[in-house]
Amino acid sequence: MRCSCILPDPDAEGELVMNELTISLKPGKQIPLYEQIYEYIRKEIRRGAIQSGEKLPSTRALSRHLEVSRSTVELAYEQLLSEGYIEAQPYRGYFAAQIEGLYQFSGSGQTQEKREQKAERTYRYDFTPNGVDLKSFPYNVWRKLSRECLLDDRAELFRLGNPQGESGLRSAISSYLHQARGVNCTPDQIIVGAGNDYLLMLLCAILGSSHRVALENPTYRQAYRLFENLSYEVCTVDMDGKGMRADKLMESGADIAFVMPSHHYPLGTVMPIRRRMELLAWAEKTEGRFIIEDDYDSEFRYKGKPIPALQGYDGSGKVIYIGTFSKSIAPAIRMSYLVLPQPLYRRYRERCGFISSTVSKVDQLILQKFIEEGYYERHLNKMRALYRSRHDTLLSALRETVPEPDISGENAGVHLLLHFRDGRSEEELIRKALEKGVKVYGLSEYYVDGKEQADTDETVILLGYANMNEEKIKEAVKLLGEAWANC
Amino acid sequence: MRCSCILPDPDAEGELVMNELTISLKPGKQIPLYEQIYEYIRKEIRRGAIQSGEKLPSTRALSRHLEVSRSTVELAYEQLLSEGYIEAQPYRGYFAAQIEGLYQFSGSGQTQEKREQKAERTYRYDFTPNGVDLKSFPYNVWRKLSRECLLDDRAELFRLGNPQGESGLRSAISSYLHQARGVNCTPDQIIVGAGNDYLLMLLCAILGSSHRVALENPTYRQAYRLFENLSYEVCTVDMDGKGMRADKLMESGADIAFVMPSHHYPLGTVMPIRRRMELLAWAEKTEGRFIIEDDYDSEFRYKGKPIPALQGYDGSGKVIYIGTFSKSIAPAIRMSYLVLPQPLYRRYRERCGFISSTVSKVDQLILQKFIEEGYYERHLNKMRALYRSRHDTLLSALRETVPEPDISGENAGVHLLLHFRDGRSEEELIRKALEKGVKVYGLSEYYVDGKEQADTDETVILLGYANMNEEKIKEAVKLLGEAWANC
């Protein structure tokens, strides 16, 4: 039994020696005395200066020699005990625990890898197809509703809520879906979640592993990558002008089809009723087959009525409907919803019913009021008018500027497609536009599965108009005319 | 070429006949005329009254006969066209599309399964171990910060943010973790997410499939079920008084260990330094091994300093740290965070960097201000004092009431464990307490993997005190004394 011998610390302000154990206590400092004693002994044990099995001085002896109260030393020893640096042996005292040789402790912090945060260059004119006009976000209403929701000290609002989302919000969504989208569902079938990505992850947990998912090509890449990363087999199925080909879907061996029937992204295709029925018939043919309907931006259609959701035609519980408020309100509010057919809803309850909601109750309540009090409808009307005007401006500007433009995907959504068949490459068209300060997007980045482009000789450019006002659209199209004229 | 013959609708308000096609238009009604025409023809096609291939009247003829403008009929035909009910043939006109025989349309809505929403019975005294005192939630501060965040019409706040969470919040979390938990990390390594469940799902997406996860037994059931549902192999590893046994972990064949070293749930065990090093040594031995450290409630410790996180000892990038604000602020704010070691962080960027954040920017900004402006620390101090007082009250009430109580798991968290070795079953103890209006919880519900209870002859009851004030605790313990005295 021996105690380690420590040389006095030259920085010590007050120095106390006890047996052979020296601790420099700094009583004036912010760190409590017990913590200084604890820190000191811990460090000595970690660096091996106090070896395993060595006996420590008794609390009484150490307190006397350090001229501190016994409870101070006891507190230090208790902390060392609870973290396992020392061990208490009845009637014998405290001993350093055996920790050396097991593992090399981390140094003064992990090596900090510095990554370059690539600053996204911004362009004077950006035709991003993913834009949402946030100048029109209803700030006043949102503030007002948020104030109202937080008005009372309601503990209820901060208690863990229903895993599916609050029933008030689900009722509001269910009536909205019925009226606006022709979706047949009860609030029970709805699961509110923090964004489509999360809901697709949840859906994979509900469906379980070993599925083969078929997507259109091009498609919403995010979904493709998610399924892939969640270890699903993914494949693509050829499209024609009516959307995913049902015969090719049959051949693909997939049991899940991911489609956007009301407005395909990025092509803007509307799936006609016949194709929809073929897909439903495909799903009905075999148990376990499902169709995921991503109805991401059906709110915006500038000609006629909205195209009804596929879910509304589903008589056999085969369609999983997914919708979002990201496009129609704002991306950062993080609220989407899943409508599960009854058989899957039961599976959800069994397998995943315990998974907590990902949306805060306050946000759910704000959104519920936003829908129920008519603000959502008004906001949609306002945005539809705004986007329609930009859509019309872009169309007429293109027709004036580009000779005989070949346009598709218009009349809905917030972007359209411009087709070129003059041999010019996507890269060239994008680069020429960039040189004039206009950012445009190529269709090729929406292709997955190794495919780079459709098997045609055409080049397709996407022009999104949600983020640009009419004046800017006109200016930008003029520049595009110049950029592409002298290619 | 023939047109279908429809009998006049007896409800018709104004009736117009054209060729053989009869449509009852109701001009006074809210539904626009074009929609009435569209609805009528759509219904007739769906029920087979207009058969596929049949020619529809020209827009000019129909408009003349219905005495509506031609554009009204055009609008109706366009809608039918875009939904695929009719097809346009150049120079020939419009024809009903072939849709019959493919699929039986859904009726007037899916059969609505009504589930009984089991109303959770509430008890006068509830010793739930998952309580959070929400009477102390800082409502005023939260309101104030929320108002401040929403003050300006800042579009930035509603644009899609950083997938990892906003950098300001991540910096605030990283300094907090460094100071309070001894965690070594840069803000870069932090991923903010909507709750632990979500972050574990994300972690599985980062780690990929085919892993074997070892958990302690008893454990946090939610984590066990999640791993299981995400198709991981799960197994349990025996514990001793120091936590997960490293030798058994080695034998288990697992490559991922899920532990709660600073305060095991539900046992309250603190993993001593030696065991921590054994686990770190286990992880270091083979590439691909990781330790998930769930540090769910380390904020509450009533004796000495907080126990430092295992992550702080990790020198080889093996510990994945997960923490939450659910326990320390409120369950419904849905904010947790993951600290990834560098190698996994790179994998996250590659595989999952595209997955959008699940927390709204407004909420992130509120929390950031809450931490940075010192409110979080003050709130923690307040809660610690509050819970400590309830903890002390419960301890002394138990010592006065229950003869020689065998208590463990005290001094930290918000619950303690009461051990019985008199042969009485958990069921009996819980039932007797319930008869007095006191809800207590058994340890057995925390066992997984088919195990129902530890292999001992003891019965363990959990008593959580976060949700009860001192007076209620005293009353409840008195009732427990009566309930259990005459068992």
Side-chain angles (χ1 to χ4, degrees):
Chain A
M1 212 163 66
R2 63 168 193 72
C3 283
S4 58
C5 176
I6 310 294
L7 289 174
D9 180 352
D11 286 322
E13 285 171 31
E15 203 159 276
L16 292 154
V17 185
M18 175 266 151
N19 282 355
E20 285 140 287
L21 188 63
T22 302
I23 304 182
S24 330
L25 293 178
K26 295 163 186 172
K29 290 293 167 80
Q30 285 212 324
I31 305 163
L33 287 176
Y34 94 88
E35 221 177 299
Q36 294 183 38
I37 299 169
Y38 150 80
E39 269 301 349
Y40 182 87
I41 298 176
R42 187 176 81 114
K43 216 183 277 170
E44 294 303 295
I45 293 175
R46 278 176 68 155
R47 73 179 184 96
I50 302 178
Q51 281 172 21
S52 81
E54 279 188 43
K55 191 183 179 192
L56 273 81
S58 72
T59 54
R60 202 158 60 117
L62 188 57
S63 71
R64 209 165 42 213
H65 284 259
L66 292 178
E67 288 179 6
V68 296
S69 77
R70 192 160 165 195
S71 63
T72 299
V73 177
E74 277 170 358
L75 216 50
Y77 276 25
E78 266 170 24
Q79 188 69 28
L80 289 164
L81 255 180
S82 59
E83 295 184 20
Y85 286 99
I86 62 174
E87 282 162 358
Q89 291 186 15
Y91 310 113
R92 290 193 57 215
Y94 295 101
F95 295 83
Q98 192 205 328
I99 60 165
E100 71 267 28
L102 278 169
Y103 181 79
Q104 192 61 43
F105 280 110
S106 132
S108 58
Q110 282 173 267
T111 47
Q112 299 185 0
E113 221 167 280
K114 264 275 157 270
R115 283 166 317 93
E116 307 280 303
Q117 284 277 4
K118 249 192 258 170
E120 294 251 326
R121 230 191 103 184
T122 52
Y123 299 90
R124 177 113 198 260
Y125 305 98
D126 189 345
F127 278 109
T128 173
N130 299 310
V132 173
D133 182 283
L134 288 172
K135 288 200 191 72
S136 311
F137 181 82
Y139 294 97
N140 284 327
V141 170
W142 207 260
R143 253 197 301 272
K144 180 185 105 115
L145 295 177
S146 153
R147 223 170 22 237
E148 279 174 26
C149 292
L150 287 169
L151 204 61
D152 315 306
D153 294 2
R154 282 185 299 166
E156 205 33 64
L157 210 51
F158 293 95
R159 226 179 281 291
L160 202 57
N162 188 315
Q164 288 186 238
E166 297 311 292
S167 80
L169 175 61
R170 286 185 288 117
S171 294
I173 292 174
S174 132
S175 343
Y176 166 74
L177 284 179
H178 184 70
Q179 285 167 39
R181 307 293 308 124
V183 167
N184 284 322
C185 70
T186 66
D188 268 359
Q189 290 168 260
I190 295 178
I191 298 165
V192 175
N196 282 23
D197 292 347
Y198 165 70
L199 286 177
L200 288 180
M201 287 167 80
L202 178 66
L203 187 56
C204 290
I206 299 169
L207 292 168
S209 55
S210 310
H211 290 285
R212 188 170 166 86
V213 184
L215 298 99
E216 290 147 326
N217 206 5
T219 190
Y220 179 53
R221 278 185 83 100
Q222 199 96 341
Y224 183 89
R225 292 182 64 185
L226 253 177
F227 289 124
E228 201 178 34
N229 285 1
L230 296 169
S231 308
Y232 275 23
E233 273 182 68
V234 279
C235 63
T236 56
V237 165
D238 288 346
M239 293 178 74
D240 56 19
K242 294 169 178 178
M244 182 180 275
R245 284 181 54 179
D247 55 338
K248 296 283 181 183
L249 173 61
M250 191 69 92
E251 287 168 18
S252 73
D255 59 344
I256 294 175
F258 178 92
V259 289
M260 295 166 273
S262 299
H263 190 229
H264 178 267
Y265 188 77
L267 296 183
T269 319
V270 174
M271 190 180 285
I273 183 70
R274 187 186 156 81
R275 183 62 53 84
R276 290 173 181 225
M277 292 172 75
E278 286 170 0
L279 288 191
L280 288 169
W282 164 84
E284 215 187 12
K285 198 163 279 171
T286 306
E287 213 192 298
R289 281 187 182 164
F290 289 102
I291 299 169
I292 303 174
E293 173 177 27
D294 184 0
D295 201 25
Y296 69 105
D297 82 342
S298 49
E299 289 82 5
F300 302 121
R301 194 165 167 79
Y302 315 120
K303 213 173 164 182
K305 284 160 46 79
I307 306 292
L310 174 61
Q311 200 269 7
Y313 301 109
D314 176 21
S316 343
K318 287 297 188 174
V319 176
I320 301 157
Y321 179 93
I322 182 164
T324 180
F325 294 100
S326 287
K327 296 270 169 190
S328 57
I329 303 181
I333 67 164
R334 312 312 298 136
M335 272 186 276
S336 296
Y337 46 89
L338 206 57
V339 181
L340 293 177
Q342 288 295 352
L344 274 191
Y345 176 71
R346 280 190 292 271
R347 212 189 295 174
Y348 158 76
R349 293 272 296 184
E350 283 161 29
R351 290 177 59 104
C352 303
F354 67 92
I355 298 175
S356 305
S357 171
T358 45
V359 186
S360 82
K361 265 193 189 170
V362 177
D363 289 353
Q364 293 189 50
L365 193 59
I366 295 174
L367 182 60
Q368 181 188 334
K369 283 170 179 264
F370 192 72
I371 299 173
E372 283 177 355
E373 297 176 13
Y375 296 113
Y376 185 50
E377 202 184 326
R378 253 172 282 166
H379 178 66
L380 282 181
N381 288 337
K382 178 179 159 193
M383 297 310 286
R384 207 178 284 120
L386 186 87
Y387 290 155
R388 180 203 303 268
S389 156
R390 291 176 184 180
H391 163 267
D392 295 351
T393 304
L394 177 58
L395 268 183
S396 59
L398 284 173
R399 286 180 183 137
E400 278 165 27
T401 316
V402 181
E404 291 180 46
D406 182 355
I407 293 164
S408 72
E410 75 278 28
N411 296 332
V414 293
H415 77 272
L416 50 76
L417 296 89
L418 197 54
H419 301 251
F420 293 83
R421 282 191 193 80
D422 53 11
R424 288 188 286 183
S425 73
E426 198 179 285
E427 181 277 327
E428 185 185 359
L429 291 166
I430 293 173
R431 182 171 39 79
K432 290 280 178 189
L434 272 190
E435 285 168 11
K436 294 277 180 186
V438 185
K439 177 114 177 88
V440 299
Y441 296 79
L443 181 61
S444 64
E445 58 183 275
Y446 294 88
Y447 282 94
V448 289
D449 213 5
K451 237 180 166 181
E452 291 243 316
Q453 177 74 34
D455 301 325
T456 62
D457 53 358
E458 63 170 20
T459 300
V460 185
I461 295 293
L462 274 69
L463 297 174
Y465 43 83
N467 265 345
M468 273 200 269
N469 63 30
E470 286 74 359
E471 201 185 333
K472 276 198 139 184
I473 289 174
K474 284 182 205 160
E475 290 166 16
V477 172
K478 198 160 160 272
L479 290 169
L480 283 182
E482 292 166 22
W484 291 338
N486 50 10
C487 266
Chain B
M1 213 163 67
R2 63 166 195 73
C3 284
S4 59
C5 177
I6 309 296
L7 288 173
D9 182 349
D11 286 324
E13 284 171 31
E15 202 160 275
L16 293 154
V17 185
M18 175 262 152
N19 281 356
E20 286 141 288
L21 186 64
T22 303
I23 305 183
S24 330
L25 293 179
K26 295 163 187 174
K29 291 293 166 76
Q30 283 210 325
I31 304 162
L33 287 176
Y34 92 88
E35 221 177 300
Q36 294 183 38
I37 299 170
Y38 150 81
E39 268 302 351
Y40 181 86
I41 298 177
R42 189 177 80 113
K43 216 183 277 169
E44 294 304 293
I45 294 176
R46 278 177 68 156
R47 73 181 183 95
I50 301 178
Q51 281 172 22
S52 80
E54 278 188 43
K55 191 182 179 196
L56 274 81
S58 71
T59 54
R60 203 161 56 120
L62 188 57
S63 70
R64 210 167 42 215
H65 285 259
L66 291 178
E67 287 179 6
V68 296
S69 78
R70 192 161 164 194
S71 64
T72 299
V73 177
E74 278 170 358
L75 216 50
Y77 277 25
E78 266 170 25
Q79 188 70 27
L80 290 164
L81 255 180
S82 60
E83 295 184 20
Y85 287 99
I86 61 173
E87 282 162 358
Q89 292 185 15
Y91 308 114
R92 292 193 56 213
Y94 295 99
F95 295 83
Q98 191 205 330
I99 59 165
E100 70 267 31
L102 279 169
Y103 181 79
Q104 192 60 46
F105 281 110
S106 130
S108 59
Q110 281 173 269
T111 47
Q112 299 185 4
E113 221 166 282
K114 266 276 156 272
R115 286 167 314 94
E116 307 280 304
Q117 284 277 5
K118 247 192 256 168
E120 294 249 327
R121 228 191 105 185
T122 52
Y123 299 90
R124 177 117 197 257
Y125 305 98
D126 188 346
F127 279 109
T128 172
N130 299 310
V132 172
D133 183 282
L134 287 173
K135 289 200 191 71
S136 311
F137 181 82
Y139 294 95
N140 284 328
V141 170
W142 206 260
R143 254 197 301 271
K144 178 183 103 101
L145 295 177
S146 154
R147 226 173 14 238
E148 281 174 23
C149 292
L150 287 169
L151 204 60
D152 314 305
D153 293 3
R154 283 185 299 167
E156 206 32 64
L157 210 52
F158 292 94
R159 225 178 280 290
L160 201 58
N162 188 317
Q164 288 186 239
E166 297 310 292
S167 79
L169 175 60
R170 287 184 288 118
S171 294
I173 292 174
S174 132
S175 342
Y176 165 74
L177 284 180
H178 184 71
Q179 284 166 39
R181 308 292 309 124
V183 167
N184 284 323
C185 69
T186 66
D188 268 359
Q189 290 168 260
I190 295 178
I191 297 165
V192 176
N196 283 22
D197 292 347
Y198 166 69
L199 286 176
L200 288 180
M201 288 166 81
L202 179 66
L203 187 56
C204 290
I206 299 169
L207 292 168
S209 54
S210 311
H211 291 285
R212 189 171 164 86
V213 185
L215 297 99
E216 291 147 326
N217 206 3
T219 189
Y220 179 54
R221 279 185 83 101
Q222 198 96 341
Y224 182 88
R225 292 182 65 185
L226 254 178
F227 288 124
E228 202 177 33
N229 286 1
L230 296 169
S231 309
Y232 276 23
E233 275 183 67
V234 280
C235 63
T236 55
V237 165
D238 287 347
M239 293 178 75
D240 56 20
K242 295 170 177 177
M244 182 181 274
R245 282 181 56 180
D247 54 339
K248 296 281 181 185
L249 172 60
M250 191 71 89
E251 286 168 17
S252 73
D255 58 344
I256 294 178
F258 178 92
V259 289
M260 296 167 271
S262 299
H263 189 230
H264 178 267
Y265 186 77
L267 295 182
T269 318
V270 173
M271 190 181 285
I273 183 70
R274 187 186 155 82
R275 182 61 54 85
R276 290 173 181 227
M277 292 171 75
E278 286 170 0
L279 287 190
L280 287 169
W282 165 84
E284 215 188 12
K285 199 165 277 171
T286 305
E287 214 192 297
R289 281 186 182 165
F290 289 101
I291 299 169
I292 302 174
E293 172 177 27
D294 184 0
D295 202 24
Y296 69 104
D297 81 343
S298 49
E299 290 82 5
F300 302 121
R301 195 167 165 78
Y302 314 120
K303 212 171 164 184
K305 282 159 49 76
I307 305 293
L310 174 62
Q311 199 270 7
Y313 301 109
D314 176 21
S316 342
K318 287 297 188 176
V319 176
I320 300 157
Y321 179 92
I322 182 164
T324 180
F325 294 100
S326 287
K327 296 269 169 190
S328 57
I329 302 181
I333 66 163
R334 311 312 299 136
M335 272 186 275
S336 296
Y337 47 90
L338 204 57
V339 181
L340 293 177
Q342 287 296 352
L344 275 191
Y345 176 71
R346 279 190 292 271
R347 213 189 293 177
Y348 159 76
R349 294 272 296 182
E350 284 160 30
R351 290 176 59 106
C352 302
F354 67 94
I355 298 174
S356 304
S357 170
T358 45
V359 186
S360 83
K361 265 194 190 170
V362 177
D363 289 353
Q364 292 189 50
L365 192 60
I366 295 175
L367 182 59
Q368 181 188 333
K369 283 170 178 265
F370 192 72
I371 299 173
E372 282 178 354
E373 297 176 14
Y375 296 112
Y376 185 50
E377 202 183 326
R378 253 173 283 166
H379 178 65
L380 282 182
N381 288 336
K382 179 179 158 192
M383 297 311 287
R384 207 178 285 119
L386 186 87
Y387 289 154
R388 180 203 303 268
S389 154
R390 292 176 183 180
H391 164 266
D392 294 351
T393 304
L394 177 58
L395 267 184
S396 58
L398 284 173
R399 284 180 185 135
E400 278 166 27
T401 316
V402 181
E404 291 180 48
D406 182 355
I407 293 163
S408 71
E410 75 278 29
N411 297 331
V414 293
H415 75 272
L416 49 76
L417 296 89
L418 197 55
H419 301 250
F420 293 82
R421 282 192 194 77
D422 54 11
R424 288 189 285 183
S425 73
E426 199 178 283
E427 180 277 328
E428 184 184 0
L429 291 166
I430 293 173
R431 182 172 39 79
K432 290 280 177 189
L434 271 190
E435 285 167 12
K436 294 277 180 185
V438 185
K439 176 112 179 89
V440 299
Y441 296 79
L443 182 60
S444 65
E445 57 182 276
Y446 295 88
Y447 281 93
V448 289
D449 213 6
K451 238 179 165 180
E452 290 243 316
Q453 178 74 34
D455 301 325
T456 61
D457 52 359
E458 64 171 18
T459 300
V460 185
I461 295 292
L462 274 69
L463 298 174
Y465 43 83
N467 266 345
M468 273 201 269
N469 64 28
E470 286 75 356
E471 201 185 331
K472 276 199 138 183
I473 290 175
K474 283 183 204 157
E475 290 166 16
V477 171
K478 198 159 161 273
L479 291 169
L480 284 182
E482 292 166 22
W484 291 339
N486 50 11
C487 265

